[in-house]
């Protein structure tokens, strides 16, 4: 099988997963699609060097995270003005605070959002996140702490009562 066919097979198999990852990073489907397209262009250019590696998806995901951060550095902050699509399934927050949580996530600075996505969606540790984003482990921890503080302030925890205890 030639390199073009292997690349096409990779895109067909992992394209949807990359799009979901892009959505978690960017917070909207349009920017997610842009991240995937740009990452796949870069991956295609590097494909001859990567074909011997077992996981080209990690290259694509790292590229997407770095592109996302680069965009953040250019724009600094952006205000997202879109409604979330109806999702088939996702966990509900207590007290109907789901919309506030998504709004709080959308309001986070790009670097903080990227750190949270890599930590909780990709389940990477601090060293791996630092390598992906090109920052120090201390910066990863401080960005995560600041992001979680902002989320806690935006969506306060519901006090435990007999009715909501698990």
């Amino acid at each position: 099988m030639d390199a073009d066919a292997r690349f096409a097979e990779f895109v067909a198999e992992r394209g949807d997963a990359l799009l979901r990852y892009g959505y978690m990073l960017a917070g909207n489907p349009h920017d997610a699609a842009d991240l995937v397209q740009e990452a796949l262009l870069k991956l295609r250019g590097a494909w001859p060097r990567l074909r011997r590696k077992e996981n080209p998806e990690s290259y694509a995901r790292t590229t997407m995270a770095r592109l996302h951060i680069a965009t953040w550095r250019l724009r600094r902050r952006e205000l997202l003005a879109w409604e979330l699509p109806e999702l088939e399934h996702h966990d509900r927050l207590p007290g109907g605070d789901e919309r506030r949580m998504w709004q709080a996530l959308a309001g986070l600075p790009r670097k903080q959002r990227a750190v949270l996505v890599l930590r909780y969606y990709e389940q990477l540790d601090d060293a791996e996140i630092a390598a992906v984003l090109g920052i120090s482990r201390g910066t990863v921890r401080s960005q995560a702490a600041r992001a979680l503080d902002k989320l806690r302030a935006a969506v306060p925890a519901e006090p435990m009562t007999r009715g909501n205890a698990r």
Side-chain angles (χ1 to χ4, degrees):
M1 183 181 295
D2 68 336
D4 290 336
R6 284 193 298 266
F7 180 75
E9 182 181 323
F10 168 76
V11 172
E13 288 177 5
R14 301 307 303 156
D16 288 342
L18 291 173
L19 190 58
R20 286 189 301 273
Y21 175 66
Y23 183 84
M24 293 300 295
L25 280 174
N28 70 66
H30 307 292
D31 289 342
D34 289 346
L35 283 174
V36 172
Q37 289 175 358
E38 289 183 50
L40 289 176
L41 282 173
K42 290 181 183 289
L43 177 62
R44 180 62 186 107
W47 191 256
R49 295 187 313 268
L50 294 174
R51 69 175 179 230
R52 292 183 202 105
K53 293 187 179 177
E54 293 180 19
N55 191 5
E57 188 171 354
S58 66
Y59 179 94
R61 288 176 182 258
T62 298
T63 301
M64 289 171 66
R66 288 182 176 164
L67 287 168
H68 175 70
I69 293 299
T71 303
W72 166 78
R73 287 181 178 137
L74 291 174
R75 292 189 233 168
R76 291 292 172 184
R77 291 195 99 165
E78 67 183 61
L79 177 63
L80 300 177
W82 53 274
E83 295 294 322
L84 288 175
E86 290 295 323
L87 301 175
E88 293 177 12
H89 171 75
H90 49 91
D91 295 334
R92 300 273 180 211
L93 294 173
D97 290 333
E98 202 164 326
R99 172 166 268 164
R100 274 196 295 168
M101 178 61 81
W102 277 105
Q103 289 171 340
L105 279 169
L108 289 176
R110 285 179 170 267
K111 190 180 289 188
Q112 290 177 7
R113 185 180 178 120
V115 167
L116 291 184
V117 167
L118 292 171
R119 179 177 280 178
Y120 296 107
Y121 184 73
E122 288 294 309
Q123 298 180 352
L124 300 180
D125 63 28
D126 290 347
E128 293 168 321
I129 295 169
V132 167
L133 298 179
I135 57 179
S136 71
R137 289 173 56 181
T139 302
V140 169
R141 288 189 294 274
S142 68
Q143 292 294 309
R146 288 181 185 135
L148 292 173
D149 286 344
K150 288 178 182 180
L151 293 179
R152 285 184 192 109
V155 185
E158 190 175 281
M160 290 298 289
T161 63
R162 286 183 150 242
N164 66 6
R166 293 182 192 242

